[in-house]
Every structure is written in structure tokens, then in C-alpha cells.
Amino acid sequence: CTNVGSNTVTLTVTDVNGNVSSCSATVTVEDNVDPDCAAQDITVQLDDTGNASITAADVDAGSSDACGIEVVRVTPSLFSCDNVGTPVEVTLTVLDNNGNTSTCTAMVTVEDNVDPIAACKDIAVSLDASGVATITGADVDGGSTDACGIASYTVVPDTFGCANIGPNAVVLTVEDVNGNTATCDATVTITEDVAPECTAQDYTVMLDETTGLASITIDDVLVDVSDNCTAPDDIKTAIDITEFD
């Protein structure tokens, strides 16, 4: 291989009487043999930015050439979230020291094993008229992120009643599009702001013929009372006027 190119050789001729003469010639040595290209399949992991890169050495499985290899290249060499799930075919190109090339292919499997970053926020929620409140994962999400995208937000527990009035600990689970998960904690404060309801009836009372007075009790005008979180017997009732003249 060190003689590739032009080489000058000298031819010496000697006759039977010992006379000598010489002449020269050029011998051109060529290397037209392509290198032997060998590639291997590999698996690469995305980083926390959702990117991965490879070099030719990563997929080279021992390419060789009798006269030596000058450079080995691979294309493509950059990968992203879009490549997760389906192996990508790459081409390895081998160039020897004399300009001969050969190519071979390999499959690159791209994986995303990076968990999302879960971020929570505390919230306050009021019970409805039925004494129930529900939340979704998005309600307590405080800006969770993932390079490849978030598929779902799940919060547990997500339903609250009168027994939960006050602060409640919940757990938010964030799952990215490639099945990786992360969790964080939040506090959901339940409040009850619904006023009780009452139904009253009109009532006629007769003045006493002797005193000219009349009185009523609350039961005379109260028909029904209800509240989303308080039993009827526990609701305080009052009437502003009980005496009449």
C-alpha cells in the first residue's frame, strides 16, 4: 500500500561480453479495492432535552481496509422525540486512504426513559349544593413539563364531600407520551359556602279577646329546612317576631 501511485523502476541489461546499459520505466500501483464496511444495530437514550446523537464509531462493527481507513461517517446522526418507537435506518460510509468507499446500514432504536418533571400547586374548592366537589389533575398541575410531551394528569383523591372540609393531601401523577411518570404532592382545601334553604308558609293568628295580644312559634311558619352539609335537626332556626298586638 505504501507504493500506491507512480513508481520509477530501472531495467539493467548486460550482454555476454559484460557490456551494461539501463533504462527506466514507471510502474503505477493502484488500489481499487473497496473497504470492508461492517455495522451493528444500537439503542440510544434521549437526554432531558429530548435529543440524542451518535457517532460513526457507535455503529461501526469493525470496518477494515488493507491500506487503512481515512474516515467513517454515519447519517443521520441526530435523533429526537419523533424517532421514539420506530427504529431508524442509518448509513455508515467508510472511506479508505486511497479514496475507495463502501456503505452498509444499521438500525438505531431510540428510547425515552426520562421521567417528566411534576410540579403541583395548592388550590381551594367549594362544595356544591349537593355537598360534593370534584377536581381534575389539571386543577393542581403547577406547570409540569416533559421534553417529549405530557399525555395525562391524574390526581388522587379527586372527589370530596362534607367530611373533607378543610385541607386535604392529594397526589398528582404526570405521565409523558412514552409512559414515564412522576408525582408531586398538593393540598386541596375544601370549603362549604352554600347557605341553608328554608321554606315558610303564611300563617294567620287571632288576637286574644282579653289581652289583645297574639304569639306564634317558629314551627307555625316553618315548613322545611335543608343544607348540603348539615342535618335538618342540627340547623339553627330563629324567627325575628313572635309577639303581635
Side-chain angles (χ1 to χ4, degrees), residues 69-161:
I69 294 175
E70 179 179 340
V71 67
V72 183
R73 300 185 179 90
V74 63
T75 55
S77 62
L78 300 177
F79 307 90
S80 68
C81 297
D82 294 336
N83 302 121
V84 174
T86 302
V88 180
E89 184 178 84
V90 299
T91 300
L92 188 69
T93 301
V94 181
L95 174 67
D96 72 13
N97 290 324
N98 295 309
N100 302 298
T101 62
S102 63
T103 62
C104 50
T105 61
M107 302 304 293
V108 175
T109 299
V110 180
E111 294 182 348
D112 170 24
N113 292 316
V114 179
D115 292 337
I117 299 174
C120 285
K121 64 180 180 181
D122 299 336
I123 62 172
V125 182
S126 296
L127 297 176
D128 62 18
S130 300
V132 176
T134 59
I135 63 171
T136 66
D139 293 328
V140 294
D141 177 52
S144 302
T145 59
D146 185 84
C148 291
I150 294 175
S152 66
Y153 305 86
T154 305
V155 63
V156 178
D158 62 355
T159 303
F160 307 89

Side-chain angles (χ1 to χ4, degrees), residues 19-224:
N19 300 301
V20 179
S21 66
S22 62
C23 57
S24 62
T26 299
V27 177
T28 300
V29 178
E30 295 182 346
D31 171 20
N32 294 317
V33 179
D34 291 336
D36 180 18
C37 183
Q40 61 185 352
D41 298 338
I42 63 171
T43 299
V44 298
Q45 306 294 326
L46 295 179
D47 60 20
D48 56 6
T49 68
N51 296 291
S53 62
I54 63 171
T55 66
D58 293 325
V59 293
D60 183 26
S63 300
S64 60
D65 186 85
C67 290
I69 294 175
E70 179 179 340
V71 67
V72 183
R73 300 185 179 90
V74 63
T75 55
S77 62
L78 300 177
F79 307 90
S80 68
C81 297
D82 294 336
N83 302 121
V84 174
T86 302
V88 180
E89 184 178 84
V90 299
T91 300
L92 188 69
T93 301
V94 181
L95 174 67
D96 72 13
N97 290 324
N98 295 309
N100 302 298
T101 62
S102 63
T103 62
C104 50
T105 61
M107 302 304 293
V108 175
T109 299
V110 180
E111 294 182 348
D112 170 24
N113 292 316
V114 179
D115 292 337
I117 299 174
C120 285
K121 64 180 180 181
D122 299 336
I123 62 172
V125 182
S126 296
L127 297 176
D128 62 18
S130 300
V132 176
T134 59
I135 63 171
T136 66
D139 293 328
V140 294
D141 177 52
S144 302
T145 59
D146 185 84
C148 291
I150 294 175
S152 66
Y153 305 86
T154 305
V155 63
V156 178
D158 62 355
T159 303
F160 307 89
C162 298
N164 303 118
I165 292 175
N168 298 267
V170 299
V171 177
L172 175 67
T173 299
V174 181
E175 181 175 357
D176 71 15
V177 295
N178 294 311
N180 304 299
T181 61
T183 62
C184 57
D185 299 322
T187 298
V188 177
T189 301
I190 300 299
T191 61
E192 194 275 299
D193 305 318
V194 179
E197 297 181 355
C198 66
T199 303
Q201 64 181 354
D202 296 337
Y203 184 72
T204 300
V205 62
M206 305 299 293
L207 294 175
D208 184 272
E209 62 181 18
T210 302
T211 63
L213 302 174
S215 64
I216 63 171
T217 67
I218 194 169
D219 292 334
D220 293 326
V221 294
L222 180 63
V223 175
D224 183 55

